[in-house]
Amino acid sequence: FRYDMTSLSGAGMTEMWWQLEIVPIGRQGAAPEYLLTTTNNITDQVLREREKETNQKILENLIDQRTRKLASSEKKFRNLVEHSPVAMALLIGEDLILDALNFEMLKLWQIITGSTEAPGELAALTGKTLITLLDKTRSGYAEILKRIFKSGESFVHPEFSYGGGIWGPLKYASIIINP
């Protein structure tokens, strides 16, 4: 229970919390002979619990704000990747799971692998492995990416040539792959 007391300075009241325990002692018939009461000051415990609840709410608000900020940032990142005029892809782990990519990257992979199939929707490809996207007979490209992932070393090819034939004129590109 709460029972406020005059502060030590004498100016105002101080919030105080108490725990009352009543224990019946001795018996004469149906009634106890007397009651033993104990009062414990639990103000510190109550105030710590209140502070803990306040801090929990502050933490929940911070987590909520940062989660919204992270979701917004991820949306901007994905938008940047998907609409970039430069071929871009984000692959996750040794399995090379497609996390973010754009049509420019799909077109480049088609040319590299010699595929003539339509790539499909980007959203449908997210979460799949690169090997499922590439023709099984041309999975050497995926193996190169796996080696880069395992070694942790960047790969730079300043004048990679691609295209020609049914894909139009021969083109050159700088390829940079970072693990």
Side-chain angles (χ1 to χ4, degrees):
F1 66 91
R2 180 176 174 173
Y3 181 80
D4 294 343
M5 301 182 78
T6 306
S7 68
L8 294 176
S9 66
M13 302 293 281
T14 301
E15 180 180 344
M16 302 291 286
W17 290 90
W18 305 89
Q19 178 183 29
L20 176 65
E21 196 174 327
I22 302 172
V23 179
I25 304 292
R27 291 233 179 244
Q28 287 185 353
E33 191 173 326
Y34 56 93
L35 298 174
L36 175 65
T37 62
T38 311
T39 307
N40 294 312
N41 182 347
I42 59 168
T43 303
D44 290 341
Q45 180 182 345
V46 170
L47 295 178
R48 275 194 307 271
E49 187 63 33
R50 186 183 296 160
E51 182 181 18
K52 181 180 166 186
E53 289 172 5
T54 301
N55 289 339
Q56 181 72 24
K57 288 177 184 176
I58 291 169
L59 184 60
E60 287 171 1
N61 286 336
L62 282 173
I63 290 170
D64 187 48
Q65 288 172 7
R66 290 185 179 160
T67 301
R68 282 193 306 259
K69 190 174 180 180
L70 179 62
S72 172
S73 177
E74 183 174 352
K75 185 177 179 180
K76 290 173 189 173
F77 165 75
R78 289 186 183 285
N79 192 38
L80 176 69
V81 169
E82 289 176 11
H83 295 95
S84 175
V86 176
M88 297 177 88
L90 175 63
L91 307 171
I92 297 179
E94 272 187 65
D95 294 331
L96 305 174
I97 298 170
L98 297 164
D99 187 48
L101 67 155
N102 62 11
F103 279 111
E104 294 302 316
M105 190 74 218
L106 288 176
K107 288 192 287 188
L108 182 60
W109 282 337
Q110 282 184 303
I111 292 167
I112 290 170
T113 61
S115 174
T116 56
E117 293 180 28
E121 293 294 317
L122 289 176
L125 299 173
T126 302
K128 295 188 177 177
T129 63
L130 180 61
I131 291 179
T132 60
L133 175 66
L134 301 176
D135 185 332
K136 299 279 189 217
T137 61
R138 295 179 174 88
S139 61
Y141 179 73
E143 293 307 315
I144 292 169
L145 292 176
K146 283 183 181 183
R147 278 198 304 273
I148 293 167
F149 177 82
K150 285 180 182 177
S151 74
E153 295 179 19
S154 295
F155 172 82
V156 178
H157 194 296
E159 289 189 18
F160 176 75
S161 63
Y162 65 96
I166 63 171
W167 293 283
L170 189 62
K171 296 179 183 178
Y172 294 89
S174 293
I175 295 184
I176 301 168
I177 302 171
N178 292 310

